[in-house]
Amino acid sequence: MLEIKNLHARVADEGTEILRGVNLTIEAGEVAAIMGPNGSGKSTLSYILAGREDYEVTEGDILYNGESVLEMDPAERAAAGLFLAFQYPLEIPGVATMTFLKTALNAQRKARGEAELTTPDFMRKVKASAEELKIAPDMLKRPLNVGFSGGEKKRAEILQMALLEPKLCIMDETDSGLDIDALKIVSDGVNALRSEERAFLVITHYQRLLDYIVPDTVHVLYKGRIIKTGDKNLALQLENEGYAQIVDEAA
Amino acid sequence: MSVVTELKTRTPAETQLLQLAEARGENENARRPAIEALRRDGLPTRKVEAWHYTDLRALVGRRIKDDAAVASLKAGDDAILEPLLANSVVICLDDPVSAHLPDGVMATSSSSVADWQASPNHLDRSIDTIRALSAAFGASSAKIAVSSKTSVDTPIELRPAAGSDSHFYAQVSVGEGASATFVERLEGDGSPAPSTGVSTLTIADRANVLWIVDQEKGAEASHLGQLNVTIGADAVFRLFVLNAGGGLVRYEVHAETVGEGADVQIRGANLLKDGQHVDVTTTLNHRVPNTTATETFRNVVTGGHGVFQGMIKVAKGAQKTDAKMACNSLLLSDEGDFSAKPELEIFADDVQCGHGATAGEIDADHLFYLMSRGIPEATARALLVKAFLGEVVEELEDEAIVEALEARIDTWLDTHA
């Protein structure tokens, strides 16, 4: 589903190279975890996959279902089935949450040549997903993410994911700022979306999240490269030993 | 030190304005002194502090270049309009008596002209420029009174005379404990010679007034407006100014709190495109203790020149004044600019006053977030611009009014942004 080939990227403004030849393949149905110390390029990778303009790909390619996404803007990538759950979801004053959800959902449907949802159908869909994620109806009446707690924002991200039904879900440190109860709600939400057709790229610092969202593969990103790949036991090993030994091995 | 008397040379535009004033005929005696004052002083230039960003002499001069421009004044151009708010009663300011008014509302015509000999804006000249023009041209004058303790549910829409050479002077009073909503509707193709509209609004104790200015004049139109408000004890004055048209526009608001507990809430949206010069100048005069004011303007600039001058004045003894002012501009193009000049003048020591002005582009992070959910760039930008303006409109809270204003704003954005 996703093939990242020798991806080099730098910050567009200043030229600092952050990714230095990432190779990674994720199959449909797979849950891949990316771990790595601070500054290894994890968040940058997620932003580049989603199409953020602040970064410039200097070499390599990102293939999604066999086609390069590099020339696609973020909205086109989203309509094709990519979704980034933000580490820090943005507060957007003045944009009503429901208006936003409906606009996004129908824009994607339109881009794929599907009929737009009617308002009653849309409302039903939102209500059902919100209940599962324990999102109070009052939250949905507020402007997008405005005044939400950290945990509420993360749940709202999962709500968006559930509604938009993406094919490739990239989750950037979804566990950061969550207490154990919220972590469980969010993980249940993610697990409910796991399917044969859907892949996940879960970026995290901590093994803890991977107790709830059990990965098929674990990759260690360090200084802009994947330096080790393994199964879920690699995450446990990292939790016990830290990154030092793996970094030494790779050096 | 020597006193130099500047030799005033009249611009062709000033000459033509004087000819127009002379030609009006009616109400000659009341108008004569103002005409002579204009003959003496002309239009203000950027040397007059109050007009520094809106050099009226140059701007009007550029618009009235030949007789043809003035001749077009005579063409009537106003189609029949739906009122801004559904179920409004419409008062034509040149014929106020013929309106069918709700109980407790009176409208009469009058021959008085605006009091131009002193300016509420101390940065203007010894005469008040907009009132002097209004008085020099002033033919239609209306008095509207809402009786005390009357709650008028029907919005009252005030319309200047049909035709483009319109000048009105409206004196509105709202009695003790009464409430009313007024819409000042400024529409029509207009002409390069400025039309004027001066209103005085007297809000008695415990009364509650919402005044909406909907200025959507044609691209060739010049208009100079002024609203002078006094707010009594525990009274509430809410104002919304929408500027979504006009070529050369200045709208002044001079509000004065005269009773303790008075509350002023000013909100506005200035939408600017290429070729426009739009100026909003306000003074908030806190005369007595314990009064509050908030003022927020949001500007969307796709071209042209925008100006905001906001003055908060707190008189000696007006303790516990709480006044806040903000002017935020969203610059959508390099073609336009916006000048903001917030000022505070405080002669009391126990007050809370603040002001802030910001200018920026659409937030790239916000745009990325919306697009990452599949919302195409153009739609995402439009959502963010509407959100920026919607925040001030929604503070009006009344659903029908919010919808009506957002519909006007959406129409503008769909066409120009």
Side-chain angles (χ1 to χ4, degrees):
Chain A
M1 173 173 276
L2 180 73
E3 276 180 89
I4 302 174
K5 290 180 163 177
N6 189 32
L7 189 68
H8 290 252
R10 61 186 186 194
V11 180
D13 283 347
E14 40 175 297
T16 313
E17 190 168 49
I18 297 181
L19 300 184
R20 300 183 174 90
V22 174
N23 287 292
L24 179 66
T25 300
I26 301 172
E27 303 296 342
E30 182 179 339
V31 174
I34 291 191
M35 302 182 74
N38 285 329
S40 57
K42 300 190 300 293
S43 285
T44 299
L45 178 61
S46 71
Y47 282 142
I48 288 172
L49 289 171
R52 196 179 176 119
E53 281 184 352
D54 307 5
Y55 302 97
E56 187 186 342
V57 172
T58 52
E59 205 182 326
D61 207 346
I62 301 167
L63 303 180
Y64 173 70
N65 292 332
E67 287 186 36
S68 175
V69 299
L70 293 183
E71 295 300 313
M72 293 162 76
D73 78 15
E76 292 167 330
R77 295 183 198 198
L82 261 75
F83 182 93
L84 169 63
F86 281 58
Q87 183 180 0
Y88 302 108
L90 283 110
E91 296 191 9
I92 308 191
V95 174
T97 302
M98 293 301 270
T99 307
F100 160 74
L101 291 174
K102 193 160 184 247
T103 308
L105 192 56
N106 280 333
Q108 290 205 16
R109 293 178 73 94
K110 199 175 158 199
R112 291 192 294 258
E114 299 163 20
E116 295 194 353
L117 277 187
T118 63
T119 300
D121 284 348
F122 166 75
M123 298 297 285
R124 262 192 294 279
K125 221 169 136 78
V126 174
K127 196 161 172 270
S129 296
E131 270 171 18
E132 279 184 17
L133 290 160
K134 298 192 168 51
I135 290 173
D138 277 356
M139 257 174 76
L140 299 174
K141 289 181 186 156
R142 281 186 250 164
L144 186 54
N145 290 331
V146 173
F148 288 19
S149 71
E152 286 174 332
K153 283 180 187 165
K154 296 299 174 75
R155 274 184 277 154
E157 291 288 284
I158 305 306
L159 172 67
Q160 293 177 27
M161 194 163 94
L163 289 172
L164 296 171
E165 302 177 74
K167 295 289 188 300
L168 174 62
C169 309
I170 303 150
M171 312 194 57
D172 187 7
E173 302 206 20
T174 295
D175 50 335
S176 70
L178 290 187
D179 61 31
I180 205 78
D181 292 333
L183 183 64
K184 196 159 182 319
I185 294 169
V186 164
S187 305
D188 288 348
V190 172
N191 287 328
L193 292 168
R194 286 179 78 155
S195 83
E196 291 292 308
E197 294 87 47
R198 188 171 281 137
F200 288 83
L201 180 59
V202 180
I203 293 170
T204 181
H205 265 297
Y206 301 106
Q207 194 271 335
R208 189 181 68 163
L209 176 68
L210 304 179
D211 284 341
Y212 295 94
I213 304 173
V214 181
D216 299 304
T217 52
V218 174
H219 308 271
V220 179
L221 186 67
Y222 180 71
K223 288 191 176 171
R225 279 195 202 93
I226 303 281
I227 57 166
K228 192 170 173 91
T229 291
D231 60 13
K232 64 181 179 183
N233 292 317
L234 177 57
L236 291 168
Q237 185 195 336
L238 288 170
E239 182 79 359
N240 293 329
E241 300 171 6
Y243 292 105
Q245 191 175 343
I246 288 170
V247 167
D248 287 346
E249 280 171 28
Chain B
M1 214 169 104
S2 68
V3 179
V4 178
T5 311
E6 212 178 313
L7 183 66
K8 292 253 179 212
T9 51
R10 218 167 282 139
T11 63
E14 283 170 326
T15 305
Q16 293 203 31
L17 282 179
L18 284 166
Q19 284 169 5
L20 281 170
E22 293 285 2
R24 278 185 84 94
E26 318 156 51
N27 211 9
E28 163 78 22
N29 289 345
R31 295 188 298 115
R32 176 55 52 196
I35 295 173
E36 295 312 320
L38 279 180
R39 199 185 302 284
R40 183 189 72 219
D41 294 348
L43 295 172
T45 67
R46 59 185 299 115
K47 287 181 194 159
V48 178
E49 184 61 24
W51 295 90
H52 184 74
Y53 298 96
T54 299
D55 187 325
L56 202 61
R57 197 170 190 235
L59 287 166
V60 170
R62 239 175 275 154
R63 282 169 171 77
I64 308 180
K65 290 195 192 92
D66 51 39
D67 292 342
V70 174
S72 76
L73 272 175
K74 297 295 158 198
D77 54 6
D78 294 296
I80 293 166
L81 277 176
E82 284 294 313
L84 176 72
L85 305 175
N87 307 316
S88 293
V89 56
V90 174
I91 297 180
C92 295
L93 291 166
D94 59 333
D95 184 20
V97 286
S98 63
H100 297 283
L101 297 171
D103 288 347
V105 182
M106 290 261 293
T108 50
S109 61
S110 129
S111 58
S112 52
V113 294
D115 171 19
W116 52 273
Q117 313 221 24
S119 176
N121 184 345
H122 68 293
L123 300 175
D124 207 335
R125 302 174 296 183
S126 58
I127 62 165
D128 186 275
T129 298
I130 294 179
R131 291 183 195 175
L133 282 162
S134 163
F137 286 93
S140 63
S141 182
K143 281 189 175 174
I144 297 156
V146 176
S147 310
S148 56
K149 298 184 180 62
T150 306
S151 178
V152 185
D153 296 329
T154 314
I156 300 167
E157 182 163 307
L158 308 177
R159 287 190 190 171
S164 47
D165 56 340
S166 110
H167 300 272
F168 72 84
Y169 175 48
Q171 293 165 277
V172 181
S173 62
V174 177
E176 194 183 331
S179 66
T181 297
F182 296 93
V183 176
E184 180 181 345
R185 194 79 185 272
L186 303 169
E187 287 270 351
D189 290 345
S191 82
S195 54
T196 63
V198 174
S199 304
T200 60
L201 170 61
T202 308
I203 306 175
D205 296 352
R206 287 173 296 285
N208 191 319
V209 173
L210 170 61
W211 186 286
I212 296 167
V213 180
D214 177 16
Q215 188 281 114
E216 298 186 62
K217 284 181 159 288
E220 296 299 314
S222 297
H223 181 78
L224 302 171
Q226 191 184 72
L227 177 61
N228 303 278
V229 195
T230 56
I231 305 112
D234 297 315
V236 178
F237 168 56
R238 294 190 298 153
L239 170 68
F240 193 94
V241 179
L242 172 64
N243 274 311
L248 166 61
V249 175
R250 164 121 150 180
Y251 197 91
E252 294 183 358
V253 181
H254 305 294
E256 198 175 325
T257 61
V258 296
E260 287 197 36
D263 182 38
V264 177
Q265 301 165 31
I266 297 176
R267 299 291 180 275
N270 296 308
L271 315 179
L272 276 118
K273 64 181 170 62
D274 190 36
Q276 282 188 287
H277 182 105
V278 175
D279 174 335
V280 172
T281 292
T282 70
T283 51
L284 296 175
N285 284 294
H286 293 268
R287 292 264 192 253
V288 295
N290 295 307
T291 63
T292 49
T294 57
E295 177 172 3
T296 306
F297 276 87
R298 290 273 164 103
N299 315 302
V300 169
V301 183
T302 65
H305 308 283
V307 178
F308 171 76
Q309 303 186 100
M311 165 72 90
I312 297 175
K313 288 178 156 190
V314 181
K316 198 175 169 195
Q319 302 294 13
K320 304 286 179 193
T321 292
D322 188 334
K324 292 192 177 54
M325 178 165 63
C327 176
N328 313 117
S329 303
L330 192 53
L331 305 171
L332 298 181
S333 147
D334 295 338
E335 303 297 310
D337 57 63
F338 202 99
S339 308
K341 191 177 102 178
E343 289 176 283
L344 302 176
E345 194 183 277
I346 300 170
F347 294 106
D349 57 7
D350 184 15
V351 301
Q352 289 201 33
C353 292
H355 65 73
T358 63
E361 298 167 19
I362 283 181
D363 187 309
D365 291 337
H366 288 176
L367 187 64
F368 173 61
Y369 189 67
L370 295 183
M371 287 180 72
S372 78
R373 296 322 186 223
I375 301 175
E377 182 168 357
T379 311
R381 282 183 181 277
L383 261 181
L384 291 171
V385 175
K386 280 176 194 183
F388 175 75
L389 297 168
E391 279 189 284
V392 284
V393 181
E394 275 153 27
E395 285 187 73
L396 290 171
E397 285 179 349
D398 182 303
E399 205 172 318
I401 296 174
V402 169
E403 267 179 34
L405 285 168
E406 286 189 336
R408 304 313 305 152
I409 289 171
D410 286 355
T411 303
W412 190 93
L413 292 175
D414 291 345
T415 318
H416 303 293

XYZ file of all heavy atoms in Angstrom, chain A residues 47 50 52 73-75 78 83-84 86 90-95 100 104 107-108 144-145 157 160, chain B residues 363-377 379 383-384 386-388 390-391 394:
383
model
N 4.479 14.494 8.465
C 4.067 15.700 7.735
C 4.333 15.570 6.237
O 3.532 16.001 5.401
C 4.811 16.934 8.267
C 4.271 17.469 9.577
C 5.129 17.951 10.550
C 2.899 17.522 9.816
C 4.650 18.462 11.749
C 2.407 18.033 11.009
C 3.280 18.494 11.978
O 2.795 19.011 13.140
N 1.761 13.529 4.608
C 0.487 14.242 4.461
C 0.567 15.398 3.472
O -0.455 15.945 3.074
C 0.013 14.748 5.820
N 2.727 18.369 3.722
C 2.978 19.720 4.227
C 4.060 20.415 3.405
O 5.081 19.817 3.078
C 3.406 19.633 5.687
C 3.332 20.939 6.400
C 3.737 20.787 7.847
N 3.731 22.081 8.454
C 2.947 22.420 9.478
N 2.140 21.542 10.002
N 2.981 23.632 9.971
N -1.412 17.645 -3.579
C -1.493 18.518 -2.403
C -2.182 17.760 -1.261
O -2.696 16.648 -1.463
C -2.143 19.862 -2.759
C -3.660 19.816 -2.882
O -4.278 18.831 -2.438
O -4.230 20.785 -3.417
N -2.156 18.324 -0.056
C -2.698 17.578 1.094
C -4.151 17.124 0.892
O -4.509 16.021 1.295
C -2.596 18.589 2.241
C -1.479 19.490 1.858
C -1.547 19.605 0.360
N -4.958 17.981 0.265
C -6.371 17.626 0.083
C -6.514 16.446 -0.878
O -7.346 15.561 -0.674
C -7.149 18.836 -0.435
N -5.561 13.325 0.942
C -6.620 12.911 1.867
C -7.756 12.226 1.102
O -8.266 11.192 1.527
C -7.145 14.118 2.635
N -4.596 9.736 5.895
C -5.074 10.532 7.026
C -3.952 10.678 8.033
O -3.317 9.704 8.414
C -6.273 9.849 7.691
C -6.848 10.628 8.845
C -7.902 11.507 8.641
C -6.339 10.490 10.132
C -8.431 12.240 9.701
C -6.863 11.222 11.193
C -7.916 12.093 10.976
N -3.730 11.918 8.468
C -2.737 12.160 9.519
C -3.463 12.585 10.788
O -4.154 13.614 10.788
C -1.755 13.253 9.078
C -0.825 13.800 10.176
C 0.099 12.720 10.721
C 0.009 14.986 9.650
N -2.965 14.335 14.009
C -1.919 15.261 14.429
C -1.492 15.030 15.880
O -2.307 14.702 16.735
C -2.416 16.711 14.306
C -2.396 17.258 12.906
C -3.096 16.628 11.889
C -1.684 18.410 12.606
C -3.098 17.134 10.596
C -1.669 18.932 11.323
C -2.377 18.292 10.316
N -4.980 21.315 15.667
C -5.070 22.776 15.737
C -6.440 23.250 16.177
O -7.455 22.658 15.827
C -4.739 23.364 14.363
C -3.238 23.324 14.150
C -2.895 22.301 13.113
C -2.705 24.681 13.824
N -6.443 24.341 16.935
C -7.693 25.009 17.278
C -7.984 26.028 16.190
O -7.136 26.843 15.858
C -7.558 25.743 18.618
C -7.305 24.803 19.776
C -7.449 25.496 21.138
O -7.906 26.663 21.166
O -7.114 24.866 22.144
N -9.175 25.956 15.614
C -9.502 26.926 14.572
C -10.761 27.686 14.973
O -11.880 27.234 14.759
C -9.656 26.254 13.195
C -8.406 25.406 12.919
C -9.866 27.308 12.117
C -8.277 24.901 11.512
N -10.597 28.866 15.571
C -11.746 29.646 16.012
C -12.609 30.037 14.816
O -12.087 30.297 13.731
C -11.122 30.903 16.638
C -9.668 30.623 16.784
C -9.327 29.557 15.803
N -13.894 30.054 15.025
C -14.794 30.527 13.970
C -15.231 29.451 12.997
O -16.176 29.655 12.250
N -14.539 28.303 12.981
C -14.976 27.206 12.111
C -15.729 26.199 12.986
O -15.144 25.578 13.864
C -13.793 26.516 11.398
C -14.266 25.292 10.620
C -13.099 27.491 10.456
N -17.129 21.858 9.599
C -15.841 21.326 9.158
C -15.966 19.850 8.774
O -15.522 19.441 7.696
C -14.824 21.510 10.298
C -13.621 20.619 10.202
C -12.626 20.854 9.262
C -13.491 19.524 11.041
C -11.520 20.024 9.173
C -12.395 18.687 10.959
C -11.411 18.930 10.018
N -15.461 18.426 4.991
C -14.369 17.492 4.700
C -14.911 16.198 4.103
O -14.432 15.711 3.066
C -13.583 17.212 5.975
N -16.326 16.829 0.623
C -15.271 17.156 -0.345
C -14.568 15.871 -0.787
O -14.270 15.681 -1.972
C -14.268 18.132 0.266
N -14.308 14.985 0.168
C -13.654 13.715 -0.179
C -14.566 12.852 -1.051
O -14.122 12.250 -2.024
C -13.283 12.950 1.093
C -12.153 13.601 1.864
C -11.403 12.592 2.718
O -11.518 11.386 2.529
N -10.608 13.094 3.647
N -13.961 24.334 15.979
C -13.074 23.185 15.817
C -11.930 23.172 16.841
O -11.057 24.041 16.825
C -12.511 23.198 14.395
C -11.658 22.008 13.965
C -12.385 20.699 14.175
C -11.251 22.169 12.512
N -11.981 22.184 17.732
C -10.947 21.940 18.750
C -10.769 23.075 19.761
O -9.893 22.995 20.627
C -9.587 21.652 18.103
C -9.549 20.303 17.406
O -10.240 19.379 17.803
N -8.755 20.194 16.353
N -9.658 13.752 16.883
C -8.900 13.291 15.713
C -9.373 11.900 15.286
O -9.541 11.622 14.101
C -7.395 13.223 16.030
C -6.723 14.565 16.226
C -6.555 15.346 14.935
O -5.676 15.027 14.119
O -7.353 16.287 14.752
N -12.649 12.097 13.554
C -12.485 12.477 12.140
C -12.052 11.270 11.315
O -12.546 11.041 10.210
C -11.441 13.587 12.011
C -11.861 14.909 12.630
C -10.759 15.947 12.533
O -9.929 15.904 11.636
N -10.735 16.878 13.465
N -3.401 31.710 8.189
C -2.478 30.874 8.945
C -2.195 29.578 8.175
O -3.099 28.800 7.879
C -3.129 30.580 10.302
C -2.199 29.850 11.243
O -1.604 28.815 10.848
O -2.064 30.301 12.373
N -0.914 29.369 7.856
C -0.530 28.211 7.039
C -0.827 26.892 7.751
O -1.190 25.899 7.113
C 0.957 28.292 6.682
N -0.701 26.889 9.083
C -0.993 25.665 9.838
C -2.482 25.320 9.777
O -2.857 24.163 9.625
C -0.567 25.825 11.303
C 0.942 25.884 11.456
O 1.642 25.383 10.557
O 1.417 26.436 12.465
N -3.314 26.365 9.916
C -4.762 26.139 9.822
C -5.124 25.597 8.438
O -5.918 24.674 8.307
C -5.522 27.446 10.073
C -5.500 27.888 11.510
N -6.046 29.067 11.936
C -4.984 27.290 12.603
C -5.885 29.176 13.246
N -5.237 28.122 13.669
N -4.521 26.205 7.432
C -4.819 25.792 6.051
C -4.414 24.338 5.827
O -5.167 23.541 5.260
C -4.078 26.713 5.074
C -4.409 26.522 3.601
C -5.863 26.851 3.312
C -3.503 27.402 2.730
N -3.232 23.984 6.326
C -2.749 22.606 6.169
C -3.683 21.631 6.887
O -4.027 20.566 6.362
C -1.321 22.470 6.706
C -0.803 21.056 6.735
C -0.683 20.327 5.556
C -0.459 20.450 7.933
C -0.217 19.013 5.575
C 0.013 19.145 7.952
C 0.133 18.422 6.778
N -4.104 22.009 8.085
C -4.980 21.117 8.852
C -6.279 20.843 8.086
O -6.700 19.692 7.951
C -5.277 21.743 10.216
C -5.998 20.822 11.179
C -5.371 19.690 11.695
C -7.307 21.075 11.574
C -6.022 18.844 12.583
C -7.969 20.236 12.460
C -7.328 19.124 12.964
O -7.976 18.291 13.836
N -6.895 21.896 7.567
C -8.151 21.705 6.830
C -7.920 20.887 5.557
O -8.693 19.986 5.230
C -8.785 23.059 6.476
C -9.260 23.929 7.639
C -9.931 25.192 7.120
C -10.231 23.175 8.547
N -6.849 21.199 4.858
C -6.574 20.470 3.604
C -6.247 19.011 3.878
O -6.589 18.127 3.087
C -5.431 21.134 2.840
C -5.831 22.462 2.193
S -4.452 23.207 1.289
C -4.350 22.107 -0.146
N -5.596 18.736 5.012
C -5.222 17.359 5.316
C -6.458 16.496 5.564
O -6.365 15.283 5.661
C -4.299 17.306 6.540
O -5.047 17.458 7.722
N -7.624 17.148 5.683
C -8.871 16.387 5.831
C -9.612 16.281 4.495
O -10.783 15.901 4.456
C -9.769 17.054 6.874
C -9.209 17.072 8.290
C -8.468 15.811 8.643
N -8.028 15.738 10.029
C -6.817 15.291 10.375
N -5.932 14.943 9.452
N -6.491 15.187 11.634
N -8.946 16.708 3.439
C -9.548 16.551 2.111
C -10.285 17.771 1.607
O -10.938 17.724 0.568
N -10.206 18.885 2.347
C -10.891 20.100 1.894
C -9.978 20.822 0.905
O -8.862 21.194 1.260
C -11.244 21.003 3.096
C -12.147 20.235 4.075
C -11.907 22.284 2.632
C -12.463 20.976 5.367
N -10.431 20.994 -0.343
C -9.569 21.627 -1.352
C -9.130 23.029 -0.919
O -9.835 23.703 -0.162
C -10.463 21.707 -2.591
C -11.534 20.702 -2.373
C -11.737 20.610 -0.886
N -7.988 23.463 -1.410
C -7.385 24.713 -0.941
C -8.335 25.905 -0.999
O -8.458 26.661 -0.035
C -6.114 25.013 -1.746
C -5.448 26.282 -1.239
C -4.051 26.508 -1.783
O -3.552 25.643 -2.518
O -3.482 27.557 -1.467
N -11.578 26.043 -1.020
C -12.652 25.910 -0.030
C -12.106 26.157 1.374
O -12.751 26.816 2.194
C -13.256 24.491 -0.096
O -13.538 24.182 -1.457
C -14.527 24.379 0.713
N -13.263 29.029 3.962
C -13.732 28.704 5.320
C -13.010 29.545 6.362
O -13.620 30.055 7.304
C -13.443 27.230 5.624
C -14.536 26.185 5.495
C -13.981 24.817 5.878
C -15.734 26.523 6.376
N -11.703 29.698 6.183
C -10.906 30.435 7.171
C -11.217 31.928 7.137
O -11.256 32.583 8.176
C -9.416 30.167 6.954
C -8.980 28.736 7.290
C -7.540 28.484 6.845
C -9.132 28.446 8.782
N -14.113 33.236 6.179
C -15.451 33.376 6.774
C -15.383 33.245 8.291
O -16.099 33.929 9.011
C -16.394 32.318 6.199
C -16.910 32.712 4.830
C -17.767 31.644 4.189
C -17.930 31.981 2.708
N -18.790 31.052 1.997
N -14.524 32.355 8.756
C -14.399 32.162 10.201
C -13.858 33.429 10.859
O -14.330 33.854 11.916
C -13.466 30.990 10.485
N -12.895 34.039 10.209
C -12.264 35.267 10.710
C -13.318 36.365 10.881
O -13.357 37.067 11.891
C -11.178 35.675 9.713
C -10.499 36.979 9.978
C -9.563 37.100 10.989
C -10.772 38.086 9.182
C -8.914 38.311 11.207
C -10.126 39.295 9.395
C -9.192 39.400 10.410
N -16.707 35.751 10.728
C -17.846 35.197 11.463
C -17.729 35.415 12.959
O -18.724 35.623 13.651
N -16.501 35.407 13.452
C -16.322 35.586 14.891
C -16.914 36.901 15.397
O -17.464 36.937 16.482
C -14.836 35.537 15.238
C -14.305 34.132 15.352
C -12.898 34.148 15.909
O -11.966 34.491 15.146
O -12.744 33.866 17.092
N -20.966 36.806 14.781
C -21.710 35.929 15.686
C -21.869 36.505 17.088
O -22.758 36.105 17.832
C -21.053 34.546 15.720
C -21.564 33.694 14.562
C -20.592 32.628 14.104
O -19.787 32.188 14.940
O -20.640 32.261 12.913
